[in-house]
Amino acid sequence: MKKFLVLFSLLIGFCGAQVYKTLITSTYSFDATSYNNSHKIAVKNLTKLMNDTIHVVYHSSDSLFYVLSTDEGLQWQTPLYLGKGRHPAIDLDKFGRPHIVWEYFDTTSGGIDIYYDCLNDTVSPLRINLSDRDATLPDVVIDSNLVAHFVWQEDINGKRHIYYRNYSMGSLSDTMRLSNYNAPLENNTGPGISIFRPNNRIYVLWSSVDSSSYTPFRICYRYNEAGNWSGINSIYEHFRPLHNISLDYSHGSDSLSACWEDSSSGNLEARFYGGNPGGGYPTPGLSRYPVVSTVGSTWSYLFWDEDSSGFKDIYYHLYYCMTGWYARNSIRNFFSINESVRFPNACGAYVIWTQGDTPPYKIYFANFGYPIGVEENQLKNSLVFSVYPNPFQNATNIKFQIPNPKSQTNSNSQIPNYKLQIYDATGRLVKDFSRLTFNVERLTVLWDGSDDSGHKLPAGVYFVRVESEGLKQVEKVVLLR
């Protein structure tokens, strides 16, 4: 029998969405959710409202644990002990099965190795690295053909280099060094791996330092497309340090999105690249271990460690396609936390972190939701708008009412300059009612869940947007099938 523990839950309104945090478990490692180059949290369906199964891995006192929530993080199962190890990474295949890599300290040899396991098969964990050198900070991604791709770093004569290997149909591939063979003095650290557009490219990014170069600090990458590796490229170079790269959680549905620590301004900042435009904001303290999570062109969630207020905190900056960057705050301030929080890791609207100043520490989860923008939310008292029933299966009624209707209508009692549109979870317009004629006596539309071509839309989250004479509002609606 599964034992569910709800240790803490806080439900509050946030830009029209429900934002809550829950306590996952305790840990004896202050860095249980580090580092940001690898993914500690994974979900299969980012926008499947209240049906997301969330998978989390972490370490505690050099032991590995896996924990699961089947109701979008409201309740968490008892953590499963996986064995000795630290700094794990997780990904899900297309069937929702978790795949994990981690560091393992070999007490016999005194070295550090990389191991891999799929939790839903009977195969014993596999050692990934072949050398007797220390191998650390692994990451993993599973492609649509169920091939597991691994990256990690290895120490060679006091310098680190980036290595890659994959596992398919019960066999491990040859090991490939991705960093430069002809630059023995380079130091390459913190590789991340994920799959992006176009053509399901498997990107590997890492930070590199070459003391012989005019711009010694670089964010390097290579990608594999249809089995062929690109050469080594860089997306950013500077003469000041660049560290701790992080890649978005993606399986080919989004464009390349990444972040890293950037000292180019003279202060350590979190720099974000790709995804939705812009993001982040300058802070007077040290900004470290950034992570980014984007969902199509609709949402972006940015988190990073920050000490601007004199203590360990996590800052965030949120984006919504209807309004742009709409929320910036810190987790300590937003949830009224009076102890250190650190090492965020994100997937979609979900984020986890390690919290506390003395052991045992705690691992928390928060759901920042898929909200409407601040601008629309502030206008709710001006433009009355409802969608009922919600969720719905066959049809739902969309009703709206504008303030001071006489001043907003023409001589024929028609509402001028209005829009009534429905978008899917990617921000794509699927239904436009703006061609209909409305007046003050008729402000209701029946939507049957079809698009403009009359085709039935799949189950999922949709957004109904109403605009009239500068007033606008968005409501989330869930279509069931």
Side-chain angles (χ1 to χ4, degrees):
M1 178 178 180
K2 296 178 180 178
K3 182 179 179 183
F4 290 87
L5 299 177
V6 185
L7 300 174
F8 179 85
S9 182
L10 175 64
L11 288 164
I12 52 179
F14 183 84
C15 296
Q18 291 296 317
V19 178
Y20 52 88
K21 81 178 177 88
T22 56
L23 177 61
I24 298 176
T25 188
S26 61
T27 175
Y28 283 89
S29 295
F30 80 98
D31 61 348
T33 54
S34 68
Y35 284 96
N36 63 315
N37 73 293
S38 60
H39 302 97
K40 316 294 182 185
I41 177 172
V43 299
K44 188 169 182 290
N45 300 299
L46 284 175
T47 58
K48 192 174 180 182
L49 185 67
M50 291 310 296
N51 285 293
D52 268 343
T53 296
I54 303 172
H55 307 253
V56 170
V57 288
Y58 65 95
H59 65 270
S60 177
S61 300
D62 292 325
S63 294
L64 295 174
F65 292 88
Y66 163 78
V67 63
L68 180 71
S69 170
T70 59
D71 60 0
E72 212 170 19
L74 291 172
Q75 302 178 98
W76 293 89
Q77 296 183 17
T78 302
L80 175 66
Y81 171 69
L82 300 178
K84 291 296 183 180
R86 61 185 181 182
H87 302 311
I90 187 171
D91 192 26
L92 307 179
D93 62 32
K94 62 184 180 182
F95 300 112
R97 298 176 300 189
H99 298 250
I100 299 173
V101 292
W102 66 91
E103 299 175 9
Y104 174 78
F105 178 70
D106 189 328
T107 56
T108 302
S109 67
I112 304 173
D113 298 317
I114 302 299
Y115 277 82
Y116 156 75
D117 192 23
C118 174
L119 296 186
N120 293 109
D121 65 23
T122 59
V123 179
S124 298
L126 299 173
R127 181 180 168 183
I128 300 303
N129 63 307
L130 292 175
S131 73
D132 57 0
R133 300 182 292 261
D134 282 345
T136 55
L137 297 188
D139 196 14
V140 59
V141 70
I142 314 299
D143 68 24
S144 59
N145 295 317
L146 304 180
V147 179
H149 304 264
F150 316 107
V151 289
W152 68 93
Q153 63 186 35
E154 284 190 19
D155 291 352
I156 304 177
N157 299 324
K159 300 296 182 180
R160 296 185 179 96
H161 287 277
I162 308 304
Y163 285 83
Y164 163 86
R165 204 175 188 188
N166 68 53
Y167 179 75
S168 175
M169 303 294 290
S171 298
L172 283 165
S173 72
D174 292 337
T175 301
M176 177 180 179
R177 178 168 154 180
L178 295 181
S179 52
N180 194 346
Y181 270 96
N182 299 316
L185 297 181
E186 272 190 4
N187 201 30
N188 300 275
T189 58
I193 188 169
S194 204
I195 303 173
F196 296 98
R197 295 176 179 171
N199 304 324
N200 291 312
R201 287 179 176 177
I202 302 169
Y203 275 88
V204 178
L205 271 69
W206 67 91
S207 58
S208 177
V209 182
D210 182 359
S211 58
S212 65
S213 173
Y214 173 74
T215 53
F217 300 97
R218 295 186 298 156
I219 302 301
C220 294
Y221 73 90
R222 296 182 73 172
Y223 64 83
N224 185 305
E225 183 175 344
N228 298 310
W229 282 98
S230 72
I232 299 175
N233 298 283
S234 61
I235 58 176
Y236 193 72
E237 300 181 2
H238 210 270
F239 58 86
R240 287 179 170 152
L242 311 169
H243 294 302
N244 287 315
I245 184 74
S246 179
L247 274 178
D248 193 3
Y249 184 87
S250 174
H251 288 90
S253 58
D254 297 314
S255 300
L256 178 62
S257 181
C259 53
W260 59 87
E261 295 172 8
D262 189 333
S263 301
S264 60
S265 68
N267 183 47
L268 192 61
E269 303 291 355
R271 176 179 287 270
F272 298 91
Y273 172 89
N276 293 314
Y281 55 96
T283 51
L286 301 179
S287 304
R288 305 202 64 192
Y289 305 117
V291 291
V292 57
S293 182
T294 61
V295 183
S297 59
T298 309
W299 298 283
S300 279
Y301 300 82
L302 316 180
F303 302 90
W304 64 93
D305 270 22
E306 183 64 47
D307 70 352
S308 294
S309 299
F311 41 71
K312 288 285 187 180
D313 202 346
I314 294 172
Y315 280 37
Y316 61 82
H317 203 182
L318 310 181
Y319 172 91
Y320 176 50
C321 64
M322 297 290 186
T323 57
W325 295 98
Y326 67 89
R328 45 192 275 179
N329 203 339
S330 83
I331 283 181
R332 279 181 59 124
N333 181 60
F334 187 74
F335 290 112
S336 301
I337 298 170
N338 61 359
E339 57 185 357
S340 298
V341 296
R342 56 193 172 273
F343 294 121
N345 211 282
C347 182
Y350 309 134
V351 61
I352 59 172
W353 65 86
T354 308
Q355 181 173 315
D357 298 307
T358 58
Y361 308 104
K362 298 171 285 292
I363 299 176
Y364 274 96
F365 162 88
N367 179 2
F368 278 83
Y370 300 109
I372 66 170
V374 171
E375 181 181 5
E376 284 89 345
N377 189 56
Q378 291 173 338
L379 291 169
K380 277 193 172 186
N381 293 331
S382 300
L383 193 149
V384 180
F385 177 31
S386 67
V387 182
Y388 183 82
N390 186 15
F392 75 99
Q393 283 187 305
N394 298 317
T396 188
N397 291 291
I398 304 170
K399 298 181 180 181
F400 67 98
Q401 179 181 344
I402 60 174
N404 304 316
K406 290 183 179 180
S407 64
Q408 296 285 329
T409 55
N410 58 29
S411 58
N412 297 321
S413 297
Q414 295 179 346
I415 301 173
N417 302 323
Y418 84 93
K419 290 181 179 180
L420 174 55
Q421 298 169 319
I422 299 173
Y423 296 80
D424 66 12
T426 69
R428 180 175 63 96
L429 178 63
V430 295
K431 186 74 173 181
D432 191 350
F433 290 106
S434 301
R435 294 183 296 273
L436 299 179
T437 299
F438 289 93
N439 55 46
V440 292
E441 285 80 28
R442 180 175 177 266
L443 297 172
T444 301
V445 167
L446 184 70
W447 181 43
D448 62 1
S450 65
D451 61 16
D452 277 328
S453 299
H455 299 122
K456 294 292 185 181
L457 291 166
V461 178
Y462 294 86
F463 295 87
V464 183
R465 190 176 195 268
V466 173
E467 180 176 356
S468 178
E469 293 297 307
L471 303 178
K472 48 191 172 183
Q473 185 185 339
V474 176
E475 288 289 348
K476 179 166 62 178
V477 60
V478 179
L479 171 58
L480 306 174
R481 290 297 186 193

